[in-house]
Amino acid sequence: MNRLLLIGLLLLTHLTFADDGYRLWLKYDRLTDATVRSGYARSAQFIAVSGSSPVLKSATNELQLGLQGLLGTTVPTLPSAGTRQGGIVLTVGVSGADANELNEEGYRIVKRQGNILVMGKTDVGVLYGTFALLRQLQTGQSVDAINLVSSPKVKLRMLNHWDNPNGTIERGYAGGSLWKWSELPETIDPRYKDYARANASLGINGTVVNNVNASARMLTGEYLQKVAALAGVMRPYGIKVYLSVYFAAPKTLGGLKTSDPLDPEVRKWWTDKTAEIHRYIPDFGGFLVKANSEGEPGPQDYGRTHVDGANMLAAAMKPFPGVVIWRAFVYKADPTGDRFKAAYEEFTPFDGQFDPKVIVQVKNGPIDFQPREPFSPLFGAMPKTPLGIEFQLTQEYLGFATHLVYEAPVFKECLESDTYAAGKGSTVARVIDGSLHGYSQTLMAGVANTGSDRNWTGNPLAQANWYAFGRIAWDHTLTSAAIADEWVNMTLTRQPQAVSHVRAMLLRSRDIYVDYNAPIGLSRPWTGVHFAPEPWQNKSPRPDWTAVYYHRADSVGLGFDRTATGSNALAQYRPEVRRQWENVDNCPLPYLLWFHHVPWTKQLSTGRTLWDELCTRFYTSADSVRWLQQEWTLAKPALDPVLYTDVAGRLATQHREAIWWRDAWVLYLQEFAKKPVPKPFKQPEQTLDDVKKSVDIYLLR
Amino acid sequence: MNRLLLIGLLLLTHLTFADDGYRLWLKYDRLTDATVRSGYARSAQFIAVSGSSPVLKSATNELQLGLQGLLGTTVPTLPSAGTRQGGIVLTVGVSGADANELNEEGYRIVKRQGNILVMGKTDVGVLYGTFALLRQLQTGQSVDAINLVSSPKVKLRMLNHWDNPNGTIERGYAGGSLWKWSELPETIDPRYKDYARANASLGINGTVVNNVNASARMLTGEYLQKVAALAGVMRPYGIKVYLSVYFAAPKTLGGLKTSDPLDPEVRKWWTDKTAEIHRYIPDFGGFLVKANSEGEPGPQDYGRTHVDGANMLAAAMKPFPGVVIWRAFVYKADPTGDRFKAAYEEFTPFDGQFDPKVIVQVKNGPIDFQPREPFSPLFGAMPKTPLGIEFQLTQEYLGFATHLVYEAPVFKECLESDTYAAGKGSTVARVIDGSLHGYSQTLMAGVANTGSDRNWTGNPLAQANWYAFGRIAWDHTLTSAAIADEWVNMTLTRQPQAVSHVRAMLLRSRDIYVDYNAPIGLSRPWTGVHFAPEPWQNKSPRPDWTAVYYHRADSVGLGFDRTATGSNALAQYRPEVRRQWENVDNCPLPYLLWFHHVPWTKQLSTGRTLWDELCTRFYTSADSVRWLQQEWTLAKPALDPVLYTDVAGRLATQHREAIWWRDAWVLYLQEFAKKPVPKPFKQPEQTLDDVKKSVDIYLLR
């Protein structure tokens, strides 16, 4: 037997030689501490579950899988606990205080009568509770006197996939599309289910499967069959499927002469199409619409408004529970305007005019997912219109799959910003969760960072951003640090020293990135080479697609004057907010160049001039990537070696590219500032022309 | 102990619940027959290897990995066998008859003095012998009196990757690019090594890492560092890296005013660039060039010839052992011409003028990887110019990742075709292996079907095409059936009944596909919707990019007259070949419509009219996909369940799409033939307009 065991273990070693990241945070590796393990085992001798809905089945299966992995034992399931003790009981239906305290998707986990009860008003509440219980075990918490209660603060917690039918992903850095359109509906990739499990473990309950720059083909019967197949996989995990729609579909698909939202034939087309979708997907989640934005068609093509467009779709959706999510990401090509102000100007006049089924989805900042933005002035400015928030998980402006940026602080920073819409404490979070204005529909969306790469997110550490988004969408009061702790413990290691090194990396990573990429309130939403430094870029089909439009470097200084002497975008904020930012002398540095054109020689609160402060940030942050590398090395003994090597490689790329960004900015801005790089930093070894040449490579086919 | 074992096995079950296809044919799962296993174990008690080259290390590591997996034991390595017996001895250096019989890469495996000797003249020969020995074990052959000798018949056996720097693959159906350009050179994906192992196991010794529609960026220092990192992974597996080059690079990268191959500055630029490449990659394999083809730049842009262009690059390569591979895939946009004739017309006048370093790479057929083509008339027509052959593994015209087409018969059919260039027996294979014309450089290239999908090829059964290509490139005398047997046994199952079902599927699959897709010599290299039936397509920037250009359907009949009464492309073949095909009354049916415009009512050798024969093919082949499904179901008990389900899904898609092709062709051709569908077949349920609409979906963004 000994020998057979050896063979088994050798085989095991061979087959599992590397952690390929596929399992995400749902790893369920056997707990190494035998005491902990046997403690849990005493509380998990059986699983009792009454009822057999597909969602309950998912919960039961997950619990069995998790317990088998963590404890190494197969736990039997029973239809009821009877008088048994020492098991886990999954129960739909609550009583007493829970009836008031829990919402439809909430759960309570409590030790009662010798068993661990996982309760919810609905089966999906039980599913979420099951994942929460597993998380307790994965992170080594005691369950002897467990008593956890939690309900999601936001109703629609969803991922937006910018996946195209041709298999590519717009702004995707983790391989091709998750969805194998040409193989659907017949071939169901096992990853679809694992995707659903991962989302359900966080409480994500919606997925928009296609790009907001939408293909009309998604609305054909051919593709609806494919989408229905995906919906079939998602349903047992409480996840609804949504579609991005191409507003001109009545013309391109329906053969109509117009897509005018007030045209009766167009309205009928959408009504019929919406009904057809529901024949394929009875629990269809709804539509997501990018209209009259960056060249996409929309109601304005026919002299109509966003309200006309959105309400038409809402009317089509009327017989069904689904919603219409209308994006506020719009901006006109106006050389004299300020793109910052566009969404507010276009949308606030419509407050109160949207159908109750409509949610307006607003990006966290006024521009476009920049490394650091002030919160969008729309939040708090439309009390009669449910506003959802859109974050971007995929690192379009945050270093692709090579730079480490843990995004929980990005999300938190925005959500904790105070809009003062109803006095102090009117945070963006309270706008989004509906508590401030009493929105009935609430929404938090994240543009997914998933792709077909085995480890889902390209950079293994970017899994933390998917995780953090899901957790914050459920409960925005969780701290970035607490979420990091959970994720590292579940995903990478439970060795305390190593956890502490990786946690430190995650928590500092975003500030490091900002400081070499877009410090003190710079932004960089330029086209051209999208991922490379190109501050000199000044040619484009639109003025607001150049770099110089944003940074406004000149011989005097740097930054975009958005005070009353400039574009006065600040006027879109409440006076209390405006006052924080409008004075160049006390505007917090993270926002300084967002709102002010600051002279190079201006002394900042740090005691340095603008130029010296910029240089200090560029140089110290590029050096800080070395610190990230050191921390990672310190954690190495507790990490899977293949995963360690993978991330170490990415950090090396990050260091090389951080210097690239630093040199590009320093050399370019130096031409305006006409000052030397302050000591102890050294003038870059390369010239601006060198950097330009290295960037131009990426303009080649 | 019993309990611990159980835990181990449970864990094992959990971790390896599905065969995800990643391991390809190098599976090394433990042999189930204990007698066989112990027999092998007696012959594999140690591995003796003298020498420590990286290639020998690869061989040793692979042998250890394989034996550990197959036998379940860790086999020690020794620097020499000494007087020991019962081991495997890897030896560089041969004597006696082997010195003559083996070429530089050949191997002998022989039982001698109680050991299994794996010998080669070079370490790479030993590596290939090692994989051959493992194949013997994997397929259950006896090694007691083993005596195998084999040398590759072709010198350069390579994959051509059409991977782009942006991460996409042209005509790729298995996810994104294998190469993570934005993460290189720092991050080395473990799959690069597994890719190298898989290729080395077949004897593939070269890889062109980028698309023939080449980006100039591949020649920048930035990218050469990345390519060098890949070369570092390939080198210990005997694989050289090649680059596709953009002919206009002297202008776009070098800033020169011209890329004229006779311009001294241009020549110097290429000489310098070639030297630079070798500083990064000392054993660089060479260049692959698509010039003046489908819009790519080339020497003709400057009034020069293919010879001028190729010989310039050969001159730049002169100090190094690398080669210049120049593609013959060229055709002008000539509305009155016949694309079939273009390559022959352009290249044969240059025979004897190319530098000895140049190899002209010719696609297997005269058009473009059609489901079935006659062999290219260039084979045998350039006795003084080494011609390499290019096959396409990726299923651009063979049903993407959903249709099953085992391609060994495609390769074999071409290679076994007799060119009669030097009398009977002058097969294409003998042109390619150099034996007919005494070529010093010989080349077989396959356009890769690999991508970032976990299972490498999208359709798990498409792995067989990679396998078959490699095996045939090594030894073109292997039969399609023998290769199928090897692959199925190594990859899917060794249960004899199941092997026989899957083998039958593989061997019939190509004929089934041809019969619903392009029967009796039809072809379909049209643009528009590349993968969908579109025989009506008659608009395009070029006449030879329409469907009607090829099939020439009219009220009289169908097919392209390439006899003396038509384009006379047949005149490009030797008289013996021409005679086989020039007479409409006895031209073999697979080639009939390639060479003749045949009346609908013409009685064929089958006893049916052309129209009835076409319908018979379309209908029976679509029905035959049902047979494929049945065979797969019969093999099910011996197959991994996840893999079974995956392929079953694809076969269902194939059946649906076979009917789509059938209906499209039948309904379209019926408009010309004006005849009913012959009994017992039934008129399609959909109209031609229905089919057109279903195809038009794929023209939408």
Side-chain angles (χ1 to χ4, degrees):
Chain A
M1 189 57 87
N2 203 343
R3 199 174 141 209
L4 193 56
L5 174 67
L6 187 69
I7 291 169
L9 291 182
L10 279 172
L11 216 68
L12 187 70
T13 313
H14 170 209
L15 293 168
T16 63
F17 52 87
D19 183 354
D20 62 16
Y22 180 77
R23 292 178 297 155
L24 297 158
W25 47 87
L26 300 178
K27 275 188 157 159
Y28 307 144
D29 282 338
R30 202 160 70 113
L31 298 168
T32 47
D33 185 327
T35 315
V36 172
R37 219 164 51 227
S38 61
Y40 288 157
R42 275 193 302 276
S43 299
Q45 297 170 43
F46 61 85
I47 302 167
V49 53
S50 56
S52 61
S53 78
V55 172
L56 276 182
K57 193 147 182 288
S58 298
T60 313
N61 288 349
E62 193 71 28
L63 200 48
Q64 278 200 303
L65 183 72
L67 294 173
Q68 179 167 309
L70 293 164
L71 310 182
T73 52
T74 304
V75 179
T77 57
L78 313 169
S80 115
T83 57
R84 287 185 192 78
Q85 298 201 347
I88 299 169
V89 180
L90 308 185
T91 308
V92 178
V94 297
S95 56
D98 286 338
N100 293 322
E101 194 169 351
L102 297 181
N103 67 23
E104 292 300 301
E105 295 176 295
Y107 61 81
R108 179 179 292 278
I109 309 174
V110 64
K111 188 94 180 197
R112 197 175 286 170
Q113 293 162 334
N115 290 320
I116 296 174
L117 267 60
V118 180
M119 300 180 294
K121 286 186 178 170
T122 60
D123 52 6
V124 78
V126 174
L127 177 67
Y128 295 145
T130 302
F131 277 111
L133 175 60
L134 282 165
R135 186 159 59 232
Q136 293 292 304
L137 306 185
Q138 286 178 273
T139 55
Q141 313 297 309
S142 166
V143 295
D144 289 341
I146 193 167
N147 191 353
L148 289 178
V149 61
S150 189
S151 287
K153 294 192 168 24
V154 168
K155 193 170 161 191
L156 305 178
R157 307 171 298 279
M158 65 173 68
L159 291 182
N160 289 183
H161 289 274
W162 289 359
D163 291 33
N164 298 314
N166 70 0
T168 61
I169 305 179
E170 184 163 334
R171 313 306 174 194
Y173 313 108
S177 175
L178 272 185
W179 324 120
K180 301 285 188 183
W181 294 117
S182 61
E183 297 159 21
L184 285 165
E186 290 92 350
T187 305
I188 306 293
D189 189 330
R191 328 189 42 130
Y192 303 151
K193 181 178 162 190
D194 291 320
Y195 165 89
R197 289 175 53 230
N199 279 327
S201 77
L202 306 172
I204 289 172
N205 64 3
T207 181
V208 186
V209 295
N210 63 315
N211 193 351
V212 287
N213 295 319
S215 166
R217 11 174 148 163
M218 300 305 298
L219 295 175
T220 62
E222 181 95 4
Y223 275 80
L224 289 173
Q225 286 180 51
K226 299 171 190 278
V227 177
L230 292 178
V233 180
M234 305 297 158
R235 193 170 292 119
Y237 287 91
I239 299 167
K240 288 201 165 81
V241 165
Y242 297 68
L243 286 174
S244 294
V245 296
Y246 183 66
F247 197 80
K251 279 175 78 174
T252 51
L253 285 189
L256 302 187
K257 293 206 180 84
T258 176
S259 295
D260 179 349
L262 300 192
D263 181 279
E265 278 195 80
V266 170
R267 298 177 74 86
K268 179 174 187 320
W269 189 88
W270 281 111
T271 299
D272 292 348
K273 180 55 72 177
T274 306
E276 182 192 354
I277 293 171
H278 284 80
R279 285 196 293 276
Y280 288 104
I281 309 161
D283 56 350
F284 181 62
F287 297 131
L288 173 62
V289 192
K290 176 176 179 178
N292 294 122
S293 169
E294 298 184 329
E296 293 300 306
Q300 294 172 353
D301 303 346
Y302 306 96
R304 313 301 182 186
T305 68
H306 290 294
V307 169
D308 295 329
N311 288 359
M312 171 197 66
L313 292 175
M317 192 64 84
K318 194 155 185 152
F320 309 104
V323 296
V324 175
I325 305 167
W326 195 268
R327 288 174 98 231
F329 178 64
V330 297
Y331 56 103
K332 297 197 175 71
D334 177 0
T336 63
D338 179 0
R339 174 173 162 185
F340 189 113
K341 295 155 67 178
Y344 181 99
E345 287 173 347
E346 275 208 49
F347 276 84
T348 50
F350 297 129
D351 190 28
Q353 297 181 38
F354 286 101
D355 185 284
K357 272 187 169 301
V358 176
I359 304 171
V360 173
Q361 181 167 301
V362 182
K363 289 190 180 183
N364 59 302
I367 300 286
D368 188 12
F369 300 136
Q370 293 304 289
R372 173 169 271 131
E373 293 197 43
F375 69 90
S376 166
L378 273 172
F379 296 119
M382 295 184 72
K384 297 182 219 149
T385 308
L387 297 187
I389 195 164
E390 177 178 325
F391 292 114
Q392 191 182 43
L393 314 187
T394 189
Q395 293 175 240
E396 176 178 4
Y397 294 102
L398 293 174
F400 284 34
T402 42
H403 296 234
L404 172 62
V405 178
Y406 173 56
E407 295 167 345
V410 181
F411 312 149
K412 292 286 290 182
E413 181 175 277
C414 178
L415 291 167
E416 290 173 356
S417 296
D418 198 337
T419 70
Y420 289 90
K424 192 166 165 55
S426 304
T427 59
V428 173
R430 292 193 56 222
V431 175
I432 296 309
D433 71 16
S435 61
L436 192 70
H437 300 308
Y439 297 156
S440 59
Q441 302 276 16
T442 57
L443 163 69
M444 202 178 290
V447 180
N449 63 352
T450 50
S452 66
D453 276 1
R454 181 67 182 169
N455 72 6
W456 302 88
T457 56
N459 189 334
L461 300 188
Q463 294 180 358
N465 294 330
W466 181 6
Y467 186 86
F469 169 76
R471 295 288 285 140
I472 288 174
W474 179 278
D475 182 358
H476 53 69
T477 69
L478 293 169
T479 68
S480 297
I483 295 169
D485 261 343
E486 281 180 9
W487 181 78
V488 175
N489 272 281
M490 292 165 79
T491 312
L492 298 182
T493 177
R494 286 186 55 204
Q495 200 275 318
Q497 289 297 102
V499 170
S500 134
H501 289 297
V502 180
R503 184 206 302 120
M505 293 172 67
L506 294 177
L507 291 176
R508 276 196 56 191
S509 61
R510 192 272 191 118
D511 283 336
I512 292 171
Y513 182 85
V514 165
D515 272 355
Y516 61 75
N517 197 278
I520 323 186
L522 283 172
S523 60
R524 43 167 285 244
W526 55 70
T527 57
V529 181
H530 205 72
F531 93 103
E534 216 183 0
W536 49 83
Q537 192 249 358
N538 59 8
K539 289 195 189 70
S540 171
R542 294 176 56 148
D544 50 4
W545 287 356
T546 66
V548 297
Y549 176 94
Y550 293 96
H551 61 63
R552 313 234 154 173
D554 59 24
S555 60
V556 176
L558 182 68
F560 198 129
D561 182 4
R562 292 190 168 103
T563 68
T565 62
S567 78
N568 206 16
L570 269 174
Q572 294 182 342
Y573 292 96
R574 288 298 196 296
E576 297 89 335
V577 180
R578 207 185 307 156
R579 277 197 290 275
Q580 293 169 11
W581 294 335
E582 72 186 349
N583 185 339
V584 69
D585 291 320
N586 62 13
C587 175
L589 293 190
Y591 301 109
L592 185 65
L593 303 177
W594 271 105
F595 296 113
H596 302 279
H597 189 69
V598 183
W600 298 110
T601 53
K602 167 90 181 167
Q603 185 104 354
L604 305 185
S605 56
T606 58
R608 299 184 193 95
T609 63
L610 173 64
W611 169 252
D612 286 358
E613 183 65 29
L614 282 166
C615 287
T616 302
R617 302 264 177 147
F618 286 128
Y619 280 84
T620 53
S621 60
D623 289 347
S624 294
V625 181
R626 283 271 184 243
W627 173 82
L628 290 173
Q629 292 177 294
Q630 285 159 10
E631 290 296 296
W632 189 244
T633 306
L634 289 169
K636 180 176 179 180
L639 297 172
D640 176 90
V642 169
L643 182 126
Y644 169 80
T645 304
D646 180 307
V647 173
R650 291 171 203 270
L651 290 170
T653 303
Q654 182 178 357
H655 185 251
R656 175 167 55 81
E657 293 186 350
I659 293 171
W660 196 32
W661 279 94
R662 176 194 79 189
D663 289 359
W665 273 119
V666 167
L667 293 165
Y668 173 75
L669 296 179
Q670 198 170 36
E671 300 211 325
F672 299 93
K674 301 195 185 305
K675 306 211 172 290
V677 170
K679 287 182 179 168
F681 310 117
K682 291 190 181 127
Q683 181 72 12
E685 288 168 17
Q686 53 188 339
T687 66
L688 183 57
D689 197 50
D690 292 338
V691 183
K692 284 183 179 174
K693 274 190 184 145
S694 72
V695 171
D696 285 347
I697 290 172
Y698 297 90
L699 288 168
L700 297 168
R701 173 176 75 173
Chain B
M1 189 55 86
N2 204 342
R3 198 174 142 207
L4 193 55
L5 173 69
L6 186 67
I7 291 168
L9 292 181
L10 279 172
L11 217 66
L12 186 72
T13 314
H14 169 210
L15 293 167
T16 63
F17 53 87
D19 183 353
D20 62 16
Y22 180 76
R23 292 179 296 156
L24 296 159
W25 46 89
L26 300 177
K27 274 189 159 161
Y28 307 146
D29 282 338
R30 202 161 71 115
L31 298 168
T32 46
D33 186 325
T35 314
V36 171
R37 217 162 55 227
S38 62
Y40 287 158
R42 275 194 302 276
S43 299
Q45 297 170 42
F46 61 85
I47 302 166
V49 54
S50 56
S52 61
S53 78
V55 172
L56 277 182
K57 196 148 180 291
S58 297
T60 314
N61 289 348
E62 192 71 29
L63 200 48
Q64 278 199 302
L65 182 73
L67 293 174
Q68 179 167 308
L70 293 164
L71 310 181
T73 52
T74 304
V75 179
T77 57
L78 312 169
S80 112
T83 57
R84 285 184 194 79
Q85 298 200 344
I88 300 169
V89 181
L90 308 185
T91 307
V92 179
V94 297
S95 57
D98 285 338
N100 292 322
E101 195 169 350
L102 296 182
N103 67 23
E104 292 300 300
E105 295 177 294
Y107 60 82
R108 179 180 290 280
I109 309 173
V110 63
K111 188 93 179 197
R112 197 175 285 170
Q113 292 160 336
N115 290 319
I116 296 174
L117 269 59
V118 180
M119 302 181 293
K121 286 184 178 173
T122 60
D123 53 5
V124 77
V126 175
L127 176 66
Y128 294 146
T130 302
F131 277 112
L133 175 60
L134 282 165
R135 186 160 57 234
Q136 294 291 306
L137 306 185
Q138 286 177 272
T139 54
Q141 313 297 309
S142 167
V143 294
D144 289 341
I146 193 168
N147 192 353
L148 288 177
V149 60
S150 188
S151 287
K153 294 190 169 27
V154 167
K155 195 171 160 190
L156 305 178
R157 307 170 298 278
M158 65 173 68
L159 292 182
N160 290 184
H161 289 274
W162 288 359
D163 291 32
N164 298 313
N166 70 0
T168 61
I169 305 179
E170 185 164 333
R171 313 304 174 196
Y173 313 108
S177 174
L178 272 185
W179 324 119
K180 300 284 187 184
W181 294 116
S182 62
E183 297 159 21
L184 285 165
E186 291 92 350
T187 306
I188 307 292
D189 189 330
R191 47 191 316 156
Y192 303 152
K193 182 177 160 189
D194 291 320
Y195 166 87
R197 289 174 54 229
N199 279 326
S201 78
L202 306 173
I204 289 172
N205 64 3
T207 180
V208 186
V209 296
N210 65 315
N211 192 351
V212 288
N213 295 318
S215 165
R217 22 173 139 160
M218 299 305 299
L219 295 175
T220 62
E222 180 95 5
Y223 275 80
L224 289 173
Q225 287 179 51
K226 299 170 190 279
V227 178
L230 292 179
V233 180
M234 304 298 158
R235 194 171 292 118
Y237 289 91
I239 299 167
K240 288 201 166 81
V241 164
Y242 297 69
L243 285 175
S244 295
V245 297
Y246 182 66
F247 197 80
K251 280 176 78 173
T252 50
L253 286 189
L256 303 187
K257 293 206 180 83
T258 176
S259 294
D260 179 350
L262 299 192
D263 181 277
E265 279 195 81
V266 170
R267 297 178 75 86
K268 180 173 186 319
W269 189 89
W270 281 111
T271 299
D272 293 347
K273 181 54 74 179
T274 306
E276 183 194 354
I277 293 171
H278 283 81
R279 286 196 294 276
Y280 289 104
I281 310 160
D283 57 348
F284 180 62
F287 296 131
L288 173 63
V289 193
K290 175 177 179 177
N292 293 123
S293 168
E294 298 184 332
E296 293 299 305
Q300 294 173 351
D301 303 347
Y302 306 97
R304 312 301 182 186
T305 68
H306 289 294
V307 170
D308 295 330
N311 288 0
M312 172 197 67
L313 291 175
M317 192 64 84
K318 191 153 190 159
F320 309 104
V323 296
V324 175
I325 304 167
W326 195 269
R327 288 174 97 232
F329 178 65
V330 296
Y331 56 102
K332 297 195 175 72
D334 177 359
T336 63
D338 179 359
R339 174 173 162 184
F340 188 113
K341 294 156 69 178
Y344 181 100
E345 286 173 348
E346 274 208 52
F347 275 83
T348 51
F350 296 130
D351 191 29
Q353 298 181 36
F354 285 101
D355 185 284
K357 272 186 168 303
V358 177
I359 305 171
V360 173
Q361 181 166 303
V362 182
K363 289 189 181 183
N364 59 299
I367 301 286
D368 188 12
F369 299 136
Q370 293 305 290
R372 173 169 271 133
E373 294 198 41
F375 69 91
S376 165
L378 272 172
F379 295 119
M382 295 185 71
K384 297 181 216 149
T385 308
L387 298 187
I389 195 165
E390 177 178 324
F391 291 115
Q392 191 181 44
L393 314 188
T394 189
Q395 293 175 238
E396 176 179 4
Y397 294 102
L398 292 174
F400 284 34
T402 41
H403 296 233
L404 172 63
V405 178
Y406 173 56
E407 294 167 346
V410 180
F411 312 149
K412 293 285 291 181
E413 178 175 277
C414 176
L415 292 166
E416 290 174 356
S417 295
D418 199 337
T419 70
Y420 288 89
K424 192 166 166 55
S426 305
T427 59
V428 173
R430 292 193 59 221
V431 174
I432 296 308
D433 71 16
S435 62
L436 192 70
H437 301 309
Y439 297 157
S440 60
Q441 302 277 17
T442 56
L443 163 69
M444 202 179 289
V447 180
N449 61 352
T450 51
S452 65
D453 276 0
R454 181 67 183 169
N455 73 6
W456 303 87
T457 55
N459 189 334
L461 299 188
Q463 293 180 357
N465 294 330
W466 182 3
Y467 186 87
F469 169 76
R471 295 289 285 139
I472 287 174
W474 179 279
D475 181 359
H476 54 67
T477 68
L478 293 169
T479 67
S480 298
I483 296 169
D485 260 343
E486 281 181 10
W487 180 80
V488 175
N489 272 280
M490 292 166 80
T491 313
L492 297 182
T493 178
R494 287 185 55 206
Q495 201 275 319
Q497 288 298 102
V499 170
S500 136
H501 289 298
V502 180
R503 184 206 302 119
M505 291 171 68
L506 293 176
L507 292 176
R508 275 196 58 190
S509 60
R510 192 272 192 118
D511 284 335
I512 291 171
Y513 182 85
V514 165
D515 273 353
Y516 61 74
N517 197 279
I520 323 185
L522 282 172
S523 60
R524 44 167 281 244
W526 55 70
T527 57
V529 180
H530 204 73
F531 92 102
E534 215 183 0
W536 49 85
Q537 192 250 356
N538 59 7
K539 290 196 189 67
S540 170
R542 293 176 56 147
D544 49 6
W545 287 355
T546 65
V548 298
Y549 176 95
Y550 293 96
H551 61 63
R552 313 230 155 177
D554 59 23
S555 61
V556 177
L558 182 67
F560 198 130
D561 182 3
R562 293 188 168 102
T563 68
T565 61
S567 77
N568 207 16
L570 268 175
Q572 294 182 340
Y573 292 97
R574 289 296 196 298
E576 296 89 336
V577 180
R578 207 183 310 156
R579 276 197 292 274
Q580 293 169 10
W581 294 336
E582 72 187 348
N583 185 337
V584 68
D585 291 321
N586 62 15
C587 176
L589 292 190
Y591 300 110
L592 184 65
L593 301 178
W594 272 105
F595 296 113
H596 301 278
H597 190 70
V598 182
W600 299 110
T601 52
K602 167 92 183 166
Q603 184 105 351
L604 305 185
S605 56
T606 57
R608 298 184 193 93
T609 64
L610 173 65
W611 169 253
D612 285 357
E613 183 65 29
L614 282 166
C615 288
T616 302
R617 302 265 177 148
F618 287 128
Y619 280 83
T620 54
S621 59
D623 289 346
S624 293
V625 181
R626 284 270 185 242
W627 174 82
L628 290 173
Q629 293 176 295
Q630 285 159 8
E631 290 296 295
W632 189 242
T633 306
L634 289 170
K636 179 176 181 180
L639 297 172
D640 176 271
V642 170
L643 182 127
Y644 169 80
T645 304
D646 179 309
V647 173
R650 291 171 203 271
L651 291 170
T653 304
Q654 180 177 357
H655 185 252
R656 175 168 54 81
E657 292 186 350
I659 292 170
W660 196 30
W661 280 93
R662 176 195 78 190
D663 288 359
W665 274 119
V666 167
L667 292 166
Y668 173 75
L669 296 178
Q670 196 170 38
E671 299 212 325
F672 298 93
K674 301 193 184 305
K675 304 208 174 293
V677 170
K679 289 187 178 164
F681 310 118
K682 290 190 182 128
Q683 181 72 11
E685 287 168 18
Q686 53 189 339
T687 65
L688 183 57
D689 197 51
D690 293 336
V691 182
K692 284 184 179 176
K693 274 191 185 145
S694 72
V695 171
D696 285 347
I697 290 172
Y698 297 90
L699 288 168
L700 297 169
R701 172 177 77 172

